Amino acid sequence: MRITVLVGGVGGARFLQGVRTLPCDVTAIVNTGDDVALHGLQICPDLDSVMYTLGGAADDERGWGRQGETWAVSRELADYGAEAPWFSLGDKDIATHLIRTQMLNAGYGLSSVTKALCQRWEPGVEMLPMSDDRVETHVLVDDDGTQRAIHFQEWWVRHRGELAAQRFIFTGAAESQPAPGVLSAIATADVVLIAPSNPVVSIAPILAVPGIREALRNGKAPVIGVSGIIDKAVVRGMADKCLTSIGVEVSAQGVGELYGARSADGLLDAWLVDTTDDGVEVPGVAVHSCPLWMSSPEATRKIVEAGLETVGIRP
Ligand code: GDP
Ligand code: CA
């Protein structure tokens, strides 16, 4: 059986830790809207979160980057007054960015580069960036009465999401193409899962790549979404700030409606919410509740199995 999963970074990686325990071929389509070029390096935070987590090398306590990381290069850069001192890059992490950038400069696509990096990490799932083209999420903010667009990382990391966001813009998305393998991973899937990742800045950029939303809507595979909002709160991160700024209620109901039913121009056949959110109704969508805390790969596997059951699939 083939399972294709749409994911962002940390939440997506945790979800995949559960999905990959099933006896299935798993393909992850990963958000690259968070990507940023700094110090001449191409940095892909969500791809790396997934790769390090599934490769057993992520720092779970800090929530991002590598275990046993050191910060000598970042400190040196700061002492030179280099750009973006608010974005820390670990020494081990920098090695990944050096290899990636070198390969990109040599003409390889991001999907090929990702595959090469994964030879070391053996994530146990096929990891595909949503696109080989550069797509960057920018945030339109109101900065003391002046409107300006800043890179998502500047909004998220430097300002901790505290500048009121008016809009998220996926720069380059309209001209981008799905990475090789993305459309066929959707077309040949037996089921597509939308991880409980941030709907606004992790899942929406993937859906903004022309062709992906259509492939999901027209594919034979049922699409099952999992809520990252439990009892009207985010489990971690700042999805609440993102949802509020696009006028969507921070709730399993709000996000379910945002994705919408396949039968009504949306995406979902089924929507999984936490037991505390029992009673959510999205017209045209089979809503099912079960505990959604991803406390261990086994707990997450149960979430996935519950999702598959709603559409009558047994792995
Ligand atoms: P990021 O790119 O690193 O921000 O990570 P993602 O976008 O993939 O995931 C972030 C989302 O995962 C947040 O909105 C969280 O609410 C959600 N999340 C994190 N842990 C859990 C969990 O245990 N259960 C559920 N249902 N959602 C979670
Ligand atoms: Ca992310």
Side-chain angles (χ1 to χ4, degrees), residues 38-54:
L38 282 175
H39 319 296
L41 300 176
Q42 188 62 18
I43 299 160
C44 304
D46 285 358
L47 280 169
D48 290 347
S49 289
V50 173
M51 186 171 78
Y52 295 152
T53 301
L54 297 185

PDB file of all heavy atoms in Angstrom, residues 38-54:
ATOM      1  N   LEU A  38      21.003  32.334   3.186  1.00  0.00           N
ATOM      2  CA  LEU A  38      21.748  33.180   4.127  1.00  0.00           C
ATOM      3  C   LEU A  38      23.232  32.837   4.030  1.00  0.00           C
ATOM      4  O   LEU A  38      23.584  31.647   3.964  1.00  0.00           O
ATOM      5  CB  LEU A  38      21.300  32.912   5.565  1.00  0.00           C
ATOM      6  CG  LEU A  38      19.988  33.525   6.060  1.00  0.00           C
ATOM      7  CD1 LEU A  38      19.691  33.021   7.473  1.00  0.00           C
ATOM      8  CD2 LEU A  38      20.040  35.047   6.035  1.00  0.00           C
ATOM      9  N   HIS A  39      24.078  33.843   4.060  1.00  0.00           N
ATOM     10  CA  HIS A  39      25.538  33.634   4.006  1.00  0.00           C
ATOM     11  C   HIS A  39      25.911  32.779   2.793  1.00  0.00           C
ATOM     12  O   HIS A  39      26.839  31.965   2.861  1.00  0.00           O
ATOM     13  CB  HIS A  39      26.056  32.951   5.285  1.00  0.00           C
ATOM     14  CG  HIS A  39      25.427  33.468   6.544  1.00  0.00           C
ATOM     15  ND1 HIS A  39      25.591  34.772   6.963  1.00  0.00           N
ATOM     16  CD2 HIS A  39      24.610  32.879   7.457  1.00  0.00           C
ATOM     17  CE1 HIS A  39      24.904  34.964   8.092  1.00  0.00           C
ATOM     18  NE2 HIS A  39      24.307  33.831   8.395  1.00  0.00           N
ATOM     19  N   GLY A  40      25.147  32.910   1.720  1.00  0.00           N
ATOM     20  CA  GLY A  40      25.454  32.128   0.516  1.00  0.00           C
ATOM     21  C   GLY A  40      24.998  30.681   0.591  1.00  0.00           C
ATOM     22  O   GLY A  40      25.284  29.897  -0.307  1.00  0.00           O
ATOM     23  N   LEU A  41      24.289  30.320   1.668  1.00  0.00           N
ATOM     24  CA  LEU A  41      23.853  28.931   1.831  1.00  0.00           C
ATOM     25  C   LEU A  41      22.357  28.809   1.608  1.00  0.00           C
ATOM     26  O   LEU A  41      21.587  29.682   2.023  1.00  0.00           O
ATOM     27  CB  LEU A  41      24.178  28.448   3.250  1.00  0.00           C
ATOM     28  CG  LEU A  41      25.644  28.471   3.652  1.00  0.00           C
ATOM     29  CD1 LEU A  41      25.790  28.067   5.111  1.00  0.00           C
ATOM     30  CD2 LEU A  41      26.444  27.522   2.757  1.00  0.00           C
ATOM     31  N   GLN A  42      21.932  27.706   1.003  1.00  0.00           N
ATOM     32  CA  GLN A  42      20.504  27.463   0.830  1.00  0.00           C
ATOM     33  C   GLN A  42      20.031  26.578   1.992  1.00  0.00           C
ATOM     34  O   GLN A  42      20.499  25.449   2.166  1.00  0.00           O
ATOM     35  CB  GLN A  42      20.237  26.804  -0.534  1.00  0.00           C
ATOM     36  CG  GLN A  42      18.764  26.690  -0.894  1.00  0.00           C
ATOM     37  CD  GLN A  42      18.049  28.051  -1.022  1.00  0.00           C
ATOM     38  OE1 GLN A  42      18.696  29.104  -1.171  1.00  0.00           O
ATOM     39  NE2 GLN A  42      16.739  28.048  -0.941  1.00  0.00           N
ATOM     40  N   ILE A  43      19.124  27.137   2.782  1.00  0.00           N
ATOM     41  CA  ILE A  43      18.678  26.473   4.013  1.00  0.00           C
ATOM     42  C   ILE A  43      17.225  26.031   3.838  1.00  0.00           C
ATOM     43  O   ILE A  43      16.381  26.824   3.419  1.00  0.00           O
ATOM     44  CB  ILE A  43      18.812  27.460   5.197  1.00  0.00           C
ATOM     45  CG1 ILE A  43      20.293  27.843   5.341  1.00  0.00           C
ATOM     46  CG2 ILE A  43      18.284  26.859   6.495  1.00  0.00           C
ATOM     47  CD1 ILE A  43      20.532  29.119   6.099  1.00  0.00           C
ATOM     48  N   CYS A  44      16.942  24.789   4.137  1.00  0.00           N
ATOM     49  CA  CYS A  44      15.605  24.219   3.943  1.00  0.00           C
ATOM     50  C   CYS A  44      15.115  23.653   5.280  1.00  0.00           C
ATOM     51  O   CYS A  44      15.245  22.449   5.545  1.00  0.00           O
ATOM     52  CB  CYS A  44      15.640  23.106   2.893  1.00  0.00           C
ATOM     53  SG  CYS A  44      16.310  23.633   1.300  1.00  0.00           S
ATOM     54  N   PRO A  45      14.572  24.517   6.143  1.00  0.00           N
ATOM     55  CA  PRO A  45      14.270  24.096   7.520  1.00  0.00           C
ATOM     56  C   PRO A  45      13.333  22.890   7.618  1.00  0.00           C
ATOM     57  O   PRO A  45      13.568  22.005   8.452  1.00  0.00           O
ATOM     58  CB  PRO A  45      13.630  25.344   8.134  1.00  0.00           C
ATOM     59  CG  PRO A  45      14.160  26.475   7.321  1.00  0.00           C
ATOM     60  CD  PRO A  45      14.281  25.943   5.932  1.00  0.00           C
ATOM     61  N   ASP A  46      12.287  22.850   6.816  1.00  0.00           N
ATOM     62  CA  ASP A  46      11.332  21.753   6.989  1.00  0.00           C
ATOM     63  C   ASP A  46      11.909  20.437   6.465  1.00  0.00           C
ATOM     64  O   ASP A  46      11.762  19.385   7.102  1.00  0.00           O
ATOM     65  CB  ASP A  46       9.992  22.084   6.324  1.00  0.00           C
ATOM     66  CG  ASP A  46       9.199  23.110   7.142  1.00  0.00           C
ATOM     67  OD1 ASP A  46       9.688  23.516   8.222  1.00  0.00           O
ATOM     68  OD2 ASP A  46       8.100  23.508   6.711  1.00  0.00           O
ATOM     69  N   LEU A  47      12.577  20.484   5.325  1.00  0.00           N
ATOM     70  CA  LEU A  47      13.227  19.257   4.829  1.00  0.00           C
ATOM     71  C   LEU A  47      14.208  18.732   5.872  1.00  0.00           C
ATOM     72  O   LEU A  47      14.273  17.530   6.138  1.00  0.00           O
ATOM     73  CB  LEU A  47      13.986  19.538   3.520  1.00  0.00           C
ATOM     74  CG  LEU A  47      13.163  19.582   2.234  1.00  0.00           C
ATOM     75  CD1 LEU A  47      14.011  20.125   1.079  1.00  0.00           C
ATOM     76  CD2 LEU A  47      12.608  18.196   1.870  1.00  0.00           C
ATOM     77  N   ASP A  48      14.961  19.645   6.476  1.00  0.00           N
ATOM     78  CA  ASP A  48      15.971  19.200   7.444  1.00  0.00           C
ATOM     79  C   ASP A  48      15.338  18.693   8.735  1.00  0.00           C
ATOM     80  O   ASP A  48      15.811  17.708   9.313  1.00  0.00           O
ATOM     81  CB  ASP A  48      16.983  20.322   7.722  1.00  0.00           C
ATOM     82  CG  ASP A  48      17.886  20.568   6.513  1.00  0.00           C
ATOM     83  OD1 ASP A  48      17.879  19.724   5.592  1.00  0.00           O
ATOM     84  OD2 ASP A  48      18.577  21.597   6.482  1.00  0.00           O
ATOM     85  N   SER A  49      14.263  19.338   9.182  1.00  0.00           N
ATOM     86  CA  SER A  49      13.578  18.836  10.388  1.00  0.00           C
ATOM     87  C   SER A  49      13.111  17.402  10.161  1.00  0.00           C
ATOM     88  O   SER A  49      13.256  16.540  11.032  1.00  0.00           O
ATOM     89  CB  SER A  49      12.359  19.698  10.722  1.00  0.00           C
ATOM     90  OG  SER A  49      12.768  20.952  11.191  1.00  0.00           O
ATOM     91  N   VAL A  50      12.535  17.153   8.994  1.00  0.00           N
ATOM     92  CA  VAL A  50      12.043  15.805   8.698  1.00  0.00           C
ATOM     93  C   VAL A  50      13.220  14.838   8.587  1.00  0.00           C
ATOM     94  O   VAL A  50      13.226  13.753   9.189  1.00  0.00           O
ATOM     95  CB  VAL A  50      11.202  15.805   7.397  1.00  0.00           C
ATOM     96  CG1 VAL A  50      10.840  14.383   6.987  1.00  0.00           C
ATOM     97  CG2 VAL A  50       9.929  16.639   7.578  1.00  0.00           C
ATOM     98  N   MET A  51      14.246  15.249   7.881  1.00  0.00           N
ATOM     99  CA  MET A  51      15.394  14.363   7.643  1.00  0.00           C
ATOM    100  C   MET A  51      16.125  14.024   8.948  1.00  0.00           C
ATOM    101  O   MET A  51      16.425  12.860   9.214  1.00  0.00           O
ATOM    102  CB  MET A  51      16.338  15.054   6.661  1.00  0.00           C
ATOM    103  CG  MET A  51      17.501  14.224   6.198  1.00  0.00           C
ATOM    104  SD  MET A  51      18.373  15.063   4.851  1.00  0.00           S
ATOM    105  CE  MET A  51      19.310  16.287   5.770  1.00  0.00           C
ATOM    106  N   TYR A  52      16.384  15.035   9.770  1.00  0.00           N
ATOM    107  CA  TYR A  52      17.097  14.778  11.032  1.00  0.00           C
ATOM    108  C   TYR A  52      16.229  13.965  12.000  1.00  0.00           C
ATOM    109  O   TYR A  52      16.720  13.076  12.694  1.00  0.00           O
ATOM    110  CB  TYR A  52      17.487  16.082  11.727  1.00  0.00           C
ATOM    111  CG  TYR A  52      18.491  16.964  10.990  1.00  0.00           C
ATOM    112  CD1 TYR A  52      18.492  18.342  11.185  1.00  0.00           C
ATOM    113  CD2 TYR A  52      19.446  16.423  10.127  1.00  0.00           C
ATOM    114  CE1 TYR A  52      19.417  19.166  10.543  1.00  0.00           C
ATOM    115  CE2 TYR A  52      20.367  17.238   9.484  1.00  0.00           C
ATOM    116  CZ  TYR A  52      20.347  18.605   9.689  1.00  0.00           C
ATOM    117  OH  TYR A  52      21.249  19.421   9.074  1.00  0.00           O
ATOM    118  N   THR A  53      14.942  14.293  12.058  1.00  0.00           N
ATOM    119  CA  THR A  53      14.068  13.568  13.000  1.00  0.00           C
ATOM    120  C   THR A  53      13.962  12.102  12.602  1.00  0.00           C
ATOM    121  O   THR A  53      14.154  11.206  13.432  1.00  0.00           O
ATOM    122  CB  THR A  53      12.661  14.206  13.035  1.00  0.00           C
ATOM    123  OG1 THR A  53      12.796  15.567  13.424  1.00  0.00           O
ATOM    124  CG2 THR A  53      11.753  13.489  14.021  1.00  0.00           C
ATOM    125  N   LEU A  54      13.669  11.858  11.333  1.00  0.00           N
ATOM    126  CA  LEU A  54      13.513  10.462  10.909  1.00  0.00           C
ATOM    127  C   LEU A  54      14.858   9.741  10.904  1.00  0.00           C
ATOM    128  O   LEU A  54      14.922   8.522  11.038  1.00  0.00           O
ATOM    129  CB  LEU A  54      12.853  10.389   9.528  1.00  0.00           C
ATOM    130  CG  LEU A  54      11.422  10.945   9.446  1.00  0.00           C
ATOM    131  CD1 LEU A  54      10.831  10.710   8.071  1.00  0.00           C
ATOM    132  CD2 LEU A  54      10.512  10.337  10.502  1.00  0.00           C
TER     133      LEU A  54
END
